[in-house]
């Protein structure tokens, strides 16, 4: 049976299975039950097991999250219309959420405050994983890409609001067979990368970008039903070798 690890205070729209406490009353010396919740996501990840659910309540969590187990990270009000009251803020450094375990889920957060390295940082970065689900999140105000997939195949990116980031709202690099559906990819700001030996200068500000890396391309992805607007570069960009993708409105 799955373990539910509960954080802080929950003020959502349902009284079912909720624990109403005050924000900040969690303690990392607690066992992580509904009655005695933990305080930090990193601590919850250290005690969670594969298949567990970590429920994170309303509030701001100033930390970087590494998902190295196939857990479900669930924010308060994890529905598209009311998600985002559980906020994870990277504080302007690094990657806010790194997903390195297949079959993990991130559902119902505001994710903001990544570092500014356009080729390394991001709001959510999925590296070499399969079967993951990222849905119902607001990925905003990151100084690099909003959601990035790197060598990540057969994942689902659904119903996220990805706005006011840099480089790209959603980027797929050497990633194939993914479903990108029902997202808002808008207002991506421009990043200029000067020329280097063998590489031309780049102006990056995409809604959704697919590209290759080291000879591995992004193919067989389904990109449908997304709202793409007000980006400083192409709305959807297909790089070299990115073929057999299904693009629909």
């Amino acid at each position: 049976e799955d373990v539910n690890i509960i954080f802080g205070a929950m003020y959502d729209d349902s009284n079912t299975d909720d624990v109403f406490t005050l924000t900040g009353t969690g303690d990392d010396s607690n066992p992580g039950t509904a009655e005695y919740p933990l305080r930090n996501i990193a601590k919850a990840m250290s005690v969670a097991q594969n298949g567990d659910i970590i429920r994170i309540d309303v509030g701001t969590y100033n930390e970087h999250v590494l998902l190295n187990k196939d857990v479900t990270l669930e924010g308060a009000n994890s529905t598209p219309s009311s998600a985002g009251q559980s906020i994870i803020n990277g504080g302007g450094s690094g990657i806010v959420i790194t997903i390195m375990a297949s079959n993990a889920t991130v559902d119902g957060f505001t994710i903001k405050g990544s570092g500014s390295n356009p080729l390394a940082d991001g709001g959510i970065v999925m590296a070499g994983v399969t079967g993951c689900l990222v849905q119902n999140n607001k990925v905003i105000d990151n100084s690099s890409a909003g959601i990035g997939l790197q060598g990540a195949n057969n994942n689902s990116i659904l119903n996220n609001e990805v706005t006011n980031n840099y480089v790209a709202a959603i980027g797929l690099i050497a990633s194939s067979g993914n479903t990108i559906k029902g997202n808002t990819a808008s207002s991506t700001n421009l990043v200029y990368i000067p020329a280097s030996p063998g590489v031309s200068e780049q102006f990056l500000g995409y809604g959704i970008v697919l590209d290759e890396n080291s000879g591995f391309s992004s193919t067989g992805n389904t990109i449908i039903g997304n709202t793409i607007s007000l980006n400083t570069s192409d709305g959807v960009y297909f790089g070299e070798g990115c073929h057999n993708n299904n693009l629909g409105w």
Side-chain angles (χ1 to χ4, degrees):
E1 185 175 348
D2 291 344
V3 176
N4 296 316
I5 303 175
I6 313 297
F7 283 76
M10 186 176 294
Y11 299 108
D12 61 14
D13 299 326
S14 170
N15 293 327
T16 303
D17 296 327
D18 285 354
V19 177
F20 296 93
T21 61
L22 297 177
T23 302
T25 59
D27 190 305
D28 283 344
S29 64
N30 286 339
T33 62
E35 187 176 3
Y36 299 105
L38 297 167
R39 185 178 182 89
N40 292 300
I41 302 170
K43 176 63 176 180
M45 285 300 305
S46 73
V47 299
Q49 301 179 25
N50 289 331
D52 285 354
I53 300 170
I54 301 173
R55 291 180 176 161
I56 301 174
D57 298 334
V58 172
T60 297
Y61 299 82
N62 296 309
E63 54 184 306
H64 299 87
V65 177
L66 173 62
L67 266 70
N68 55 3
K69 302 172 184 176
D70 65 341
V71 300
T72 293
L73 211 62
E74 183 180 285
N77 293 309
S78 56
T79 61
S81 61
S82 58
Q85 297 181 59
S86 302
I87 302 167
I88 304 175
N89 189 338
S93 68
I95 300 167
V96 185
I97 297 181
T98 304
I99 302 177
M100 298 189 69
S102 295
N103 304 310
T105 295
V106 177
D107 185 358
F109 294 89
T110 291
I111 298 154
K112 60 189 296 185
S114 81
S116 58
N117 186 333
L119 302 180
D121 297 331
I124 300 174
V125 173
M126 306 165 66
V129 296
T130 63
C132 291
L133 173 63
V134 174
Q135 66 177 3
N136 303 329
N137 300 287
K138 296 180 180 179
V139 187
I140 60 173
D141 302 336
N142 293 287
S143 297
S144 187
I147 300 174
L149 285 73
Q150 302 174 356
N153 304 322
N154 302 313
N155 303 283
S156 296
I157 311 298
L158 310 177
N159 303 319
N160 300 283
E161 177 186 326
V162 193
T163 62
N164 198 40
N165 301 286
Y166 285 76
V167 180
I170 301 172
L172 286 76
I173 308 301
S175 298
S176 298
N178 299 285
T179 298
I180 314 298
K181 182 179 180 182
N183 303 282
T184 296
S186 68
S187 302
T188 304
N189 299 291
L190 189 68
V191 169
Y192 170 68
I193 300 178
S196 59
V199 180
S200 301
E201 65 179 1
Q202 300 179 72
F203 297 87
L204 308 177
Y206 303 112
I208 299 175
V209 58
L210 292 81
D211 214 339
E212 61 87 32
N213 184 44
S214 301
F216 294 93
S217 59
S218 296
T219 65
N221 296 286
T222 298
I223 304 170
I224 57 173
N226 300 286
T227 300
I228 304 170
S229 64
L230 302 175
N231 299 288
T232 55
S233 189
D234 299 306
V236 180
Y237 175 83
F238 294 93
E240 183 176 354
C242 295
H243 53 80
N244 295 331
N245 294 287
N246 177 24
L247 177 63
W249 308 111

